[in-house]
Amino acid sequence: MPGQGRIVSVAGHRFVTLPGSERTESLHGDLELPLWTLATEQLEAAAPKHIVAAGALGFDMVVTEAARALGIPYVLALPYKGFEMRWKDGPRQRLLSLIMDAARIHYVSSAGYSELKMRKRNQWMVDNSDWTLALWSGRKGSTANTIMYAWSRRKQVKNIWPEFVKQAV
């Protein structure tokens, strides 16, 4: 575990395919409890000064909610104002609740969706943290890109995918 009292960014999947399954599942419902438990354990062990999170569905949101429950301050790095407006009501309300309790909100780009804005947000999170807590299955995509970016910046990445699989399967 990287040193205590440091700033942790979060990178992880919204959807996963567990070993032995052909079905891709979102990280809520049955998978949210083992993920919550693992995220809480990791945050308690790391005792970060604060976390930097994207407010994205799945791993990111669960870790941010766990941080809030533990009283760990968090910065939400949102890609642009109105980011949550693309979402259905339930997830949108979860994000709005996190926004209300955030120590700080940082909008990385001007309004309007683009893939580049998502990538810039992820890079900003890595650049403004000491290390990254990740849930990465090894597949290509934005989580992989964020981890590769962290490594290119010589930042430590702790990938908890193996522990998650043990708890979730």
Side-chain angles (χ1 to χ4, degrees):
M1 178 72 57
Q4 293 186 331
R6 300 180 77 200
I7 300 168
V8 179
S9 60
V10 179
H13 300 302
R14 286 179 284 164
F15 303 96
V16 297
T17 304
L18 295 171
S21 174
E22 294 179 13
R23 204 173 93 200
T24 299
E25 300 179 53
S26 64
L27 283 170
H28 70 339
D30 293 342
L31 294 179
E32 194 159 327
L33 181 58
L35 186 57
W36 171 273
T37 302
L38 186 56
T40 300
E41 291 169 359
Q42 294 297 315
L43 291 172
E44 286 176 328
K49 178 179 175 182
H50 68 266
I51 70 167
V52 180
L57 296 170
F59 180 68
D60 197 274
M61 187 169 283
V62 171
V63 173
T64 307
E65 290 174 334
R68 177 173 60 185
L70 292 169
I72 299 169
Y74 57 91
V75 173
L76 284 178
L78 302 179
Y80 55 87
K81 284 190 178 190
F83 168 63
E84 72 283 353
M85 298 312 291
R86 298 171 43 122
W87 296 9
K88 293 181 180 178
D89 190 52
R92 183 180 328 115
Q93 293 307 316
R94 279 178 83 176
L95 178 57
L96 290 173
S97 173
L98 289 172
I99 287 171
M100 291 189 57
D101 292 336
R104 187 172 131 228
I105 308 296
H106 178 79
Y107 294 100
V108 177
S109 301
S110 59
Y113 175 83
S114 80
E115 199 57 42
L116 176 62
K117 290 177 183 181
M118 300 299 162
R119 191 170 341 119
K120 284 176 66 176
R121 180 222 29 221
N122 295 344
Q123 291 173 350
W124 187 91
M125 291 188 330
V126 168
D127 291 340
N128 287 275
S129 66
D130 298 310
W131 62 280
T132 300
L133 178 64
L135 181 72
W136 181 43
S137 66
R139 75 172 193 250
K140 293 179 181 180
S142 63
T143 299
N145 293 341
T146 303
I147 290 169
M148 298 305 157
Y149 181 78
W151 287 338
S152 78
R153 296 293 190 246
R154 301 192 188 288
K155 305 265 179 127
Q156 286 183 294
V157 174
K158 181 168 187 197
N159 183 17
I160 59 172
W161 176 256
E163 293 95 328
F164 172 67
V165 169
K166 286 178 193 172
Q167 288 188 18
V169 175

